[in-house]
PDB file of all heavy atoms in Angstrom:
ATOM      1  N   ALA A  52      -6.069   0.567 -11.448  1.00  0.00           N
ATOM      2  CA  ALA A  52      -6.083   1.908 -12.250  1.00  0.00           C
ATOM      3  C   ALA A  52      -4.967   1.922 -13.164  1.00  0.00           C
ATOM      4  O   ALA A  52      -3.793   1.344 -12.724  1.00  0.00           O
ATOM      5  CB  ALA A  52      -6.117   3.122 -11.325  1.00  0.00           C
ATOM      6  N   THR A  53      -5.065   2.452 -14.327  1.00  0.00           N
ATOM      7  CA  THR A  53      -3.882   2.642 -15.207  1.00  0.00           C
ATOM      8  C   THR A  53      -3.706   4.124 -15.307  1.00  0.00           C
ATOM      9  O   THR A  53      -4.531   4.898 -15.778  1.00  0.00           O
ATOM     10  CB  THR A  53      -4.186   2.107 -16.644  1.00  0.00           C
ATOM     11  OG1 THR A  53      -4.427   0.647 -16.321  1.00  0.00           O
ATOM     12  CG2 THR A  53      -2.933   2.149 -17.500  1.00  0.00           C
ATOM     13  N   VAL A  54      -2.433   4.677 -14.986  1.00  0.00           N
ATOM     14  CA  VAL A  54      -2.030   5.994 -14.874  1.00  0.00           C
ATOM     15  C   VAL A  54      -0.685   6.123 -15.606  1.00  0.00           C
ATOM     16  O   VAL A  54       0.309   5.406 -15.252  1.00  0.00           O
ATOM     17  CB  VAL A  54      -1.993   6.519 -13.530  1.00  0.00           C
ATOM     18  CG1 VAL A  54      -1.466   7.963 -13.546  1.00  0.00           C
ATOM     19  CG2 VAL A  54      -3.262   6.368 -12.770  1.00  0.00           C
ATOM     20  N   LYS A  55      -0.800   6.846 -16.699  1.00  0.00           N
ATOM     21  CA  LYS A  55       0.510   7.057 -17.494  1.00  0.00           C
ATOM     22  C   LYS A  55       1.113   5.723 -17.957  1.00  0.00           C
ATOM     23  O   LYS A  55       2.258   5.446 -17.968  1.00  0.00           O
ATOM     24  CB  LYS A  55       1.518   7.949 -16.740  1.00  0.00           C
ATOM     25  CG  LYS A  55       1.101   9.325 -16.484  1.00  0.00           C
ATOM     26  CD  LYS A  55       2.026  10.083 -15.809  1.00  0.00           C
ATOM     27  CE  LYS A  55       1.541  11.470 -15.619  1.00  0.00           C
ATOM     28  NZ  LYS A  55       2.370  12.413 -14.749  1.00  0.00           N
ATOM     29  N   GLY A  56       0.214   4.776 -18.396  1.00  0.00           N
ATOM     30  CA  GLY A  56       0.558   3.487 -18.888  1.00  0.00           C
ATOM     31  C   GLY A  56       0.941   2.499 -17.822  1.00  0.00           C
ATOM     32  O   GLY A  56       1.383   1.353 -18.084  1.00  0.00           O
ATOM     33  N   VAL A  57       0.994   2.807 -16.414  1.00  0.00           N
ATOM     34  CA  VAL A  57       1.347   1.976 -15.393  1.00  0.00           C
ATOM     35  C   VAL A  57       0.115   1.559 -14.673  1.00  0.00           C
ATOM     36  O   VAL A  57      -0.672   2.271 -14.297  1.00  0.00           O
ATOM     37  CB  VAL A  57       2.316   2.697 -14.300  1.00  0.00           C
ATOM     38  CG1 VAL A  57       2.700   1.872 -13.200  1.00  0.00           C
ATOM     39  CG2 VAL A  57       3.566   3.184 -15.142  1.00  0.00           C
ATOM     40  N   GLU A  58       0.026   0.137 -14.514  1.00  0.00           N
ATOM     41  CA  GLU A  58      -1.130  -0.497 -13.835  1.00  0.00           C
ATOM     42  C   GLU A  58      -0.857  -0.448 -12.326  1.00  0.00           C
ATOM     43  O   GLU A  58       0.196  -0.659 -11.863  1.00  0.00           O
ATOM     44  CB  GLU A  58      -1.384  -1.879 -14.291  1.00  0.00           C
ATOM     45  CG  GLU A  58      -2.754  -2.359 -13.742  1.00  0.00           C
ATOM     46  CD  GLU A  58      -3.057  -3.769 -14.401  1.00  0.00           C
ATOM     47  OE1 GLU A  58      -2.121  -4.688 -14.480  1.00  0.00           O
ATOM     48  OE2 GLU A  58      -4.211  -4.038 -14.780  1.00  0.00           O
ATOM     49  N   GLN A  59      -1.859   0.058 -11.540  1.00  0.00           N
ATOM     50  CA  GLN A  59      -1.730   0.113 -10.122  1.00  0.00           C
ATOM     51  C   GLN A  59      -2.873  -0.648  -9.477  1.00  0.00           C
ATOM     52  O   GLN A  59      -4.005  -0.624 -10.035  1.00  0.00           O
ATOM     53  CB  GLN A  59      -2.056   1.557  -9.709  1.00  0.00           C
ATOM     54  CG  GLN A  59      -1.144   2.650 -10.399  1.00  0.00           C
ATOM     55  CD  GLN A  59      -1.641   4.016 -10.135  1.00  0.00           C
ATOM     56  OE1 GLN A  59      -2.848   4.302  -9.722  1.00  0.00           O
ATOM     57  NE2 GLN A  59      -0.704   4.994 -10.352  1.00  0.00           N
ATOM     58  N   GLY A  60      -2.568  -1.373  -8.439  1.00  0.00           N
ATOM     59  CA  GLY A  60      -3.619  -2.095  -7.678  1.00  0.00           C
ATOM     60  C   GLY A  60      -3.833  -1.260  -6.463  1.00  0.00           C
ATOM     61  O   GLY A  60      -2.920  -0.850  -5.747  1.00  0.00           O
ATOM     62  N   HIS A  61      -5.213  -0.888  -6.188  1.00  0.00           N
ATOM     63  CA  HIS A  61      -5.490  -0.032  -5.052  1.00  0.00           C
ATOM     64  C   HIS A  61      -6.135  -0.918  -3.947  1.00  0.00           C
ATOM     65  O   HIS A  61      -7.230  -1.400  -4.229  1.00  0.00           O
ATOM     66  CB  HIS A  61      -6.320   1.066  -5.526  1.00  0.00           C
ATOM     67  CG  HIS A  61      -5.693   2.087  -6.271  1.00  0.00           C
ATOM     68  ND1 HIS A  61      -5.481   3.385  -5.752  1.00  0.00           N
ATOM     69  CD2 HIS A  61      -5.035   2.090  -7.441  1.00  0.00           C
ATOM     70  CE1 HIS A  61      -4.897   4.180  -6.601  1.00  0.00           C
ATOM     71  NE2 HIS A  61      -4.587   3.323  -7.726  1.00  0.00           N
ATOM     72  N   GLN A  62      -5.498  -1.053  -2.846  1.00  0.00           N
ATOM     73  CA  GLN A  62      -6.203  -1.678  -1.679  1.00  0.00           C
ATOM     74  C   GLN A  62      -6.560  -0.613  -0.690  1.00  0.00           C
ATOM     75  O   GLN A  62      -5.640   0.212  -0.317  1.00  0.00           O
ATOM     76  CB  GLN A  62      -5.214  -2.601  -1.023  1.00  0.00           C
ATOM     77  CG  GLN A  62      -5.918  -3.478   0.109  1.00  0.00           C
ATOM     78  CD  GLN A  62      -5.095  -4.525   0.697  1.00  0.00           C
ATOM     79  OE1 GLN A  62      -4.462  -4.440   1.705  1.00  0.00           O
ATOM     80  NE2 GLN A  62      -4.904  -5.713  -0.014  1.00  0.00           N
ATOM     81  N   VAL A  63      -7.774  -0.605  -0.300  1.00  0.00           N
ATOM     82  CA  VAL A  63      -8.363   0.594   0.404  1.00  0.00           C
ATOM     83  C   VAL A  63      -8.807  -0.009   1.739  1.00  0.00           C
ATOM     84  O   VAL A  63      -9.717  -0.833   1.793  1.00  0.00           O
ATOM     85  CB  VAL A  63      -9.482   1.286  -0.283  1.00  0.00           C
ATOM     86  CG1 VAL A  63     -10.138   2.421   0.560  1.00  0.00           C
ATOM     87  CG2 VAL A  63      -8.960   1.798  -1.649  1.00  0.00           C
ATOM     88  N   LYS A  64      -8.396   0.589   2.905  1.00  0.00           N
ATOM     89  CA  LYS A  64      -8.724   0.157   4.335  1.00  0.00           C
ATOM     90  C   LYS A  64      -8.925   1.434   4.971  1.00  0.00           C
ATOM     91  O   LYS A  64      -8.137   2.255   5.162  1.00  0.00           O
ATOM     92  CB  LYS A  64      -7.628  -0.628   4.932  1.00  0.00           C
ATOM     93  CG  LYS A  64      -7.166  -1.901   4.295  1.00  0.00           C
ATOM     94  CD  LYS A  64      -8.269  -2.975   4.487  1.00  0.00           C
ATOM     95  CE  LYS A  64      -7.794  -4.187   3.861  1.00  0.00           C
ATOM     96  NZ  LYS A  64      -8.784  -5.270   3.500  1.00  0.00           N
ATOM     97  N   ARG A  65     -10.196   1.699   5.567  1.00  0.00           N
ATOM     98  CA  ARG A  65     -10.334   2.832   6.355  1.00  0.00           C
ATOM     99  C   ARG A  65      -9.621   3.030   7.623  1.00  0.00           C
ATOM    100  O   ARG A  65      -8.879   3.879   7.753  1.00  0.00           O
ATOM    101  CB  ARG A  65     -11.967   2.937   6.503  1.00  0.00           C
ATOM    102  CG  ARG A  65     -12.342   4.226   7.410  1.00  0.00           C
ATOM    103  CD  ARG A  65     -13.810   4.301   7.602  1.00  0.00           C
ATOM    104  NE  ARG A  65     -14.136   5.425   8.511  1.00  0.00           N
ATOM    105  CZ  ARG A  65     -14.202   5.362   9.899  1.00  0.00           C
ATOM    106  NH1 ARG A  65     -13.995   4.185  10.402  1.00  0.00           N
ATOM    107  NH2 ARG A  65     -14.385   6.430  10.529  1.00  0.00           N
ATOM    108  N   GLN A  66      -9.603   1.899   8.470  1.00  0.00           N
ATOM    109  CA  GLN A  66      -8.930   1.872   9.588  1.00  0.00           C
ATOM    110  C   GLN A  66      -8.923   0.335  10.098  1.00  0.00           C
ATOM    111  O   GLN A  66      -9.563  -0.458   9.587  1.00  0.00           O
ATOM    112  CB  GLN A  66      -9.400   2.706  10.712  1.00  0.00           C
ATOM    113  CG  GLN A  66     -10.740   2.379  11.191  1.00  0.00           C
ATOM    114  CD  GLN A  66     -11.390   3.463  12.193  1.00  0.00           C
ATOM    115  OE1 GLN A  66     -11.539   4.512  11.815  1.00  0.00           O
ATOM    116  NE2 GLN A  66     -11.402   3.074  13.546  1.00  0.00           N
ATOM    117  N   TRP A  67      -8.132   0.115  11.186  1.00  0.00           N
ATOM    118  CA  TRP A  67      -8.233  -1.183  11.847  1.00  0.00           C
ATOM    119  C   TRP A  67      -8.468  -0.941  13.299  1.00  0.00           C
ATOM    120  O   TRP A  67      -7.532  -0.411  14.079  1.00  0.00           O
ATOM    121  CB  TRP A  67      -6.800  -1.865  11.673  1.00  0.00           C
ATOM    122  CG  TRP A  67      -6.806  -3.120  12.279  1.00  0.00           C
ATOM    123  CD1 TRP A  67      -6.078  -3.578  13.383  1.00  0.00           C
ATOM    124  CD2 TRP A  67      -7.516  -4.385  11.951  1.00  0.00           C
ATOM    125  NE1 TRP A  67      -6.278  -4.870  13.762  1.00  0.00           N
ATOM    126  CE2 TRP A  67      -7.156  -5.433  12.844  1.00  0.00           C
ATOM    127  CE3 TRP A  67      -8.326  -4.726  10.900  1.00  0.00           C
ATOM    128  CZ2 TRP A  67      -7.689  -6.751  12.910  1.00  0.00           C
ATOM    129  CZ3 TRP A  67      -8.982  -5.923  10.921  1.00  0.00           C
ATOM    130  CH2 TRP A  67      -8.594  -6.947  11.754  1.00  0.00           C
ATOM    131  N   ARG A  68      -9.663  -1.302  13.646  1.00  0.00           N
ATOM    132  CA  ARG A  68     -10.165  -1.252  15.108  1.00  0.00           C
ATOM    133  C   ARG A  68      -9.837   0.188  15.718  1.00  0.00           C
ATOM    134  O   ARG A  68     -10.196   1.198  14.974  1.00  0.00           O
ATOM    135  CB  ARG A  68      -9.608  -2.352  15.901  1.00  0.00           C
ATOM    136  CG  ARG A  68     -10.023  -3.691  15.397  1.00  0.00           C
ATOM    137  CD  ARG A  68      -9.652  -4.923  16.234  1.00  0.00           C
ATOM    138  NE  ARG A  68     -10.198  -6.105  15.580  1.00  0.00           N
ATOM    139  CZ  ARG A  68      -9.724  -7.263  15.811  1.00  0.00           C
ATOM    140  NH1 ARG A  68      -8.865  -7.476  16.717  1.00  0.00           N
ATOM    141  NH2 ARG A  68     -10.212  -8.355  15.234  1.00  0.00           N
TER     142      ARG A  68
END
Side-chain angles (χ1 to χ4, degrees):
T53 303
V54 178
K55 296 180 182 175
V57 177
E58 191 173 42
Q59 308 169 342
H61 287 244
Q62 188 173 101
V63 182
K64 303 283 187 206
R65 183 174 170 271
Q66 68 183 65
W67 178 251
R68 299 186 181 161

